[in-house]
Amino acid sequence: MNIAINTTCIGSYADFDLAQTLHSGQCFRFEERGGAFRVCAGARCYLLSQRGSSLFLHGEAAAQDIDFLTRYFDLARDYGAIKRALSAGDPVMAEACRCAGGVRVLRQDLFEALVTFILSQNNNIPRIKKIVEALCEHFGPRLEGPCGPYHAFPTPGALAGVTAQELEPLRAGFRARYVADAVEKLARGEVSLELVREAPYEQAKAELMKIRGVGEKVANCVLLFGANRLDAFPVDVWIARAIDRLYGGEIDAGRFSPHGGIAQQYLFFYAREQGLK
DNA sequence: CTCCAGGCGTTCC
DNA sequence: GGAACGCATGGA
């Protein structure tokens, strides 16, 4: 077994906490190893750690890896300014920003976000991670990473024509046919990811909801974490209850425009830290 | 054993 | 348009 010894400092970033971001429920292909995190995204796999505000990459590092990670963790955006705007005149959001201030909104691959959030419905995170891992093992190529082999997330092509029955080894239950439907509608051109990326918010959301098993919650998460649509404000029972507890009633998503999605992530993290539900 | 998990589709009214 | 209820699976 070879141990990665090269370490590169990617940069130093305010308003960024690697562990917080990974644990904020946006992605499922990561694991803690010592004080570091093995993070897989698409066909890539990295070993990352953080000391203070500095982010470190362990293992071989090419310029494109730095670029990828800067984009993946949305490190070029000024979250400090966003937090100040969200916090102004809103004590609850201000508290959420303080608690979850290191959370970034990930810029994941759109197809990967779609499939993983289909798998997330009425499910818990440890089990989602297992199902996603099984999906990669069965349908993604085996590659060598900075700390041993891993499997890439399958491309739409790798899953083309897959049936719910063929997905049975994932133990995804009723979600298997939803994944199969998503793959089929993409292959047939009935759903366009290009449209999901480019179209106005309501149209993009409607495009995703053509897929069986994609409702408002999943669609919003896909738009937020897979298309960087920061105005997407996921509607979900859990956070709705938490927001109700925090705010004493429902809140208007437009109130946090145009960064409602970021506001939602802060609130989600904060509410969970507080044990609210 | 029951209950729950970052929901959604179906079936009622 | 909204409120029940079932759904696969596995862990607590």
Side-chain angles (χ1 to χ4, degrees):
Chain A
M1 175 183 295
N2 37 355
I3 307 295
I5 53 170
N6 298 340
T7 295
T8 305
C9 181
I10 293 176
S12 187
Y13 304 95
D15 313 301
F16 173 60
D17 186 304
L18 177 64
Q20 267 189 15
T21 299
L22 292 173
H23 283 126
S24 64
Q26 305 180 56
C27 60
F28 304 101
R29 296 171 62 207
F30 70 92
E31 57 189 356
E32 199 157 4
R33 296 197 171 191
F37 291 92
R38 178 181 182 266
V39 180
C40 295
R44 300 164 180 273
C45 183
Y46 296 110
L47 186 61
L48 303 169
S49 66
Q50 186 174 35
R51 278 186 74 85
S53 56
S54 295
L55 178 64
F56 295 98
L57 168 59
H58 307 277
E60 297 302 316
Q64 65 170 22
D65 296 317
I66 311 294
D67 292 344
F68 175 85
L69 290 167
T70 301
R71 176 182 164 82
Y72 183 76
F73 289 107
D74 202 22
L75 296 175
R77 195 183 303 275
D78 184 357
Y79 278 69
I82 293 169
K83 282 190 286 186
R84 285 191 292 278
L86 290 173
S87 299
D90 191 325
V92 175
M93 182 56 73
E95 186 60 28
C97 286
R98 274 191 293 275
C99 172
V103 171
R104 297 275 174 152
V105 173
L106 296 179
R107 303 178 73 159
Q108 301 183 68
D109 174 78
L110 183 52
F111 177 70
E112 180 172 343
L114 170 61
V115 173
T116 56
F117 275 89
I118 286 173
L119 293 171
S120 80
Q121 65 176 152
N122 195 32
N123 209 345
N124 58 75
I125 289 176
R127 183 161 171 253
I128 298 166
K129 292 174 77 164
K130 285 181 183 174
I131 294 172
V132 172
E133 183 62 26
L135 175 70
C136 294
E137 285 174 3
H138 281 266
F139 298 97
R142 184 177 187 272
L143 302 170
E144 278 303 318
C147 43
Y150 69 100
H151 289 264
F153 194 88
T155 62
L159 289 173
V162 77
T163 64
Q165 192 167 13
E166 289 167 336
L167 293 169
E168 199 275 337
L170 310 187
R171 314 301 295 157
F174 62 87
R175 306 165 193 85
R177 70 188 186 96
Y178 297 157
V179 171
D181 187 64
V183 170
E184 181 182 347
K185 285 193 165 78
L186 290 174
R188 296 166 63 92
E190 293 175 25
V191 170
S192 160
L193 292 186
E194 202 56 32
L195 207 152
V196 171
R197 283 192 196 89
E198 309 289 341
Y201 170 68
E202 290 297 337
Q203 189 184 349
K205 186 169 70 171
E207 186 72 2
L208 284 168
M209 289 174 66
K210 290 180 183 173
I211 297 165
R212 310 281 292 178
V214 176
E216 286 221 88
K217 165 69 192 331
V218 170
N220 275 309
C221 283
V222 173
L223 288 169
L224 185 54
F225 309 136
N228 201 240
R229 307 284 298 243
L230 298 186
D231 54 337
F233 195 96
V235 183
D236 103 55
V237 177
W238 196 93
I239 193 169
R241 284 201 303 260
I243 288 174
D244 186 37
R245 287 278 301 272
L246 291 167
Y247 279 90
E250 286 201 14
I251 58 172
D252 174 17
R255 173 174 172 179
F256 301 121
S257 179
H259 295 111
I262 297 175
Q264 177 274 151
Q265 275 308 101
Y266 289 153
L267 284 171
F268 177 80
F269 192 94
Y270 174 64
R272 198 176 56 179
E273 287 292 301
Q274 300 297 312
L276 295 175
K277 63 175 181 179

